[in-house]
Amino acid sequence: MTNQADTTAADEDQPERPLSMLSIDRKTSIKIGLSFLVAIAMLYLVGKAAGLHAVRESLVYGNHEWLAVACLSTFLGLVAWSKVWQIVLSIVGIDASLPHVTKTFFAGTFANYITPLGQVGGEPFIAYIISKDLDTNYENSLTSVVTADLLNLVPFFTFSAVGLGILLTRAEFPPIVQTSAYGLAALVVVVPMTGYIGWNHRVGVKRAVTAVANPVARLTSRVEVASILARIDRFYETLDTIATAPRRLAYALVYSLVGWVFFVLPLYFAGLVLGISLDLWLVLFIVPASTLAGFVPTPGGLGGVEVALVALLVGIVGVPASQAFALAVLYRVASYWFTLVISAVPTVYVIAKA
């Protein structure tokens, strides 16, 4: 028979269940549905402005074999990023096969892609999925996910910096490039600074969390400040463990770079569908720059990313708006909609298990 102390310890190992696909109610479903409708309406208006007839002609008469190649590239990129997860998880003692981790990664990606603003701060939910699917500690899962995300930012910044550097050698400097450069530069500053502060000022982080949690704890018994602070301590302990394995982190970084290569290539292949041969160095800049639009409050940045792609393709490459929109649609079919389709089955499995 389990005593009360054991029960309490077991409860503390489990996070508060986040709002997620595992607990979707009607209100949440309506919000997600409305977000999709708003995004699709936005796409329709942009397509109409670009010329729907011309867009349709480009899509119908394209070389669609390249679209299949673009989808394959997306799949390989997701598998490579799953390998990053597997390596980081192994550092904290979570041993799982690559197919198992890939399944879990796809489920987390699916959840992020259907949730408005899922790309922003989706790590707690993904960690929840990992802790349930791999039967492991939540703090270990969260720390591993955050570490993997930080590793994936290295090629993001590298590729965009290389592409931007080459672009700046041009005589012309389109306004869209300047705007995108400012956005990427802000990320380059903010992300490392946030990580530095979080790593070196742990006491300050705990004080800030306490200041936020105390008023909430007075209103509900479901929030316990001591439990939250204990979780933060375990999070940092796991982070310290990960930091002791620099060689394995470097190994994971290689797969992160490979994943980003496969993630940006679908735009190049989408261009080949329409008979447009994009310079690869342009693709290295355009894809990361367009992902900044993923912060719009729609599922997976739907609508915002496409608009950003059109603006970048017209402003930098100089293609007509109709072709730019058709290219953006094809890229998102390969990188977004294809991901949703192939992630659906793993997601159902993970939900059923949880």
Side-chain angles (χ1 to χ4, degrees):
M1 183 174 180
T2 304
N3 59 38
Q4 184 175 359
D6 292 337
T7 302
T8 302
D11 290 340
E12 287 183 354
D13 283 340
Q14 296 301 324
E16 291 293 330
R17 184 169 174 151
L19 179 62
S20 66
M21 291 176 52
L22 304 182
S23 57
I24 280 185
D25 54 17
R26 176 181 293 184
K27 185 177 180 180
T28 304
S29 300
I30 292 175
K31 286 181 178 179
I32 293 175
L34 289 176
S35 297
F36 269 106
L37 289 176
V38 169
I40 292 173
M42 184 190 306
L43 287 176
Y44 172 77
L45 293 175
V46 175
K48 187 174 182 180
L52 287 176
H53 178 73
V55 171
R56 185 165 51 248
E57 290 289 315
S58 298
L59 293 174
V60 170
Y61 296 105
N63 188 355
H64 297 99
E65 289 81 1
W66 286 112
L67 182 59
V69 177
C71 291
L72 175 61
S73 182
T74 295
F75 176 78
L76 294 175
L78 293 172
V79 173
W81 283 336
S82 300
K83 183 64 177 179
V84 176
W85 272 26
Q86 184 193 29
I87 295 171
V88 176
L89 287 168
S90 69
I91 297 175
V92 297
I94 304 174
D95 294 320
S97 65
L98 181 59
H100 195 170
V101 175
T102 301
K103 167 177 62 65
T104 309
F105 180 83
F106 276 31
T109 302
F110 183 90
N112 270 359
Y113 276 16
I114 71 163
T115 306
L117 286 176
Q119 299 289 75
V120 184
E123 287 80 3
F125 171 58
I126 296 176
Y128 179 79
I129 291 179
I130 293 178
S131 65
K132 288 296 184 182
D133 192 42
L134 300 181
D135 297 320
T136 186
N137 179 276
Y138 176 75
E139 283 73 24
N140 286 352
S141 302
L142 179 59
T143 312
S144 300
V145 170
V146 171
T147 302
D149 283 351
L150 291 175
L151 287 174
N152 287 332
L153 282 176
V154 174
F156 173 87
F157 291 140
T158 303
F159 288 171
S160 39
V162 170
L164 179 60
I166 297 175
L167 190 59
L168 291 179
T169 61
R170 284 185 162 191
E172 298 180 358
F173 191 67
I176 186 65
V177 176
Q178 186 175 3
T179 302
S180 302
Y182 288 150
L184 291 171
L187 281 179
V188 170
V189 173
V190 171
V191 173
M193 183 178 296
T194 302
Y196 176 82
I197 293 174
W199 178 271
N200 291 284
H201 299 277
R202 304 181 183 189
V203 175
V205 170
K206 294 175 69 173
R207 287 176 178 170
V209 172
T210 301
V212 174
N214 270 330
V216 180
R218 297 190 190 100
L219 298 176
T220 174
S221 60
R222 298 186 63 182
V223 176
E224 296 181 2
V225 177
S227 176
I228 294 174
L229 295 179
R231 294 186 188 282
I232 294 176
D233 287 334
R234 290 198 292 269
F235 175 86
Y236 277 120
E237 288 173 4
T238 306
L239 202 60
D240 289 335
T241 300
I242 293 175
T244 62
R247 290 187 179 181
R248 294 166 79 177
L249 290 175
Y251 182 49
L253 182 59
V254 172
Y255 279 98
S256 178
L257 287 165
V258 171
W260 263 101
V261 170
F262 283 120
F263 186 73
V264 301
L265 281 177
L267 181 62
Y268 176 78
F269 295 134
L272 295 181
V273 173
L274 305 178
I276 301 172
S277 182
L278 298 173
D279 290 334
L280 284 175
W281 61 267
L282 277 178
V283 173
L284 290 178
F285 172 74
I286 291 175
V287 172
S290 68
T291 59
L292 294 176
F295 294 116
V296 298
T298 58
L302 187 63
V305 173
E306 288 82 356
V307 170
L309 281 170
V310 171
L312 288 165
L313 289 167
V314 172
I316 299 175
V317 184
V319 298
S322 59
Q323 283 194 323
F325 183 74
L327 207 164
V329 169
L330 289 169
Y331 170 71
R332 291 289 275 171
V333 166
S335 64
Y336 178 73
W337 294 105
F338 173 72
T339 300
L340 286 183
V341 171
I342 63 175
S343 299
V345 173
T347 302
V348 172
Y349 173 83
V350 170
I351 291 174
K353 182 178 178 181

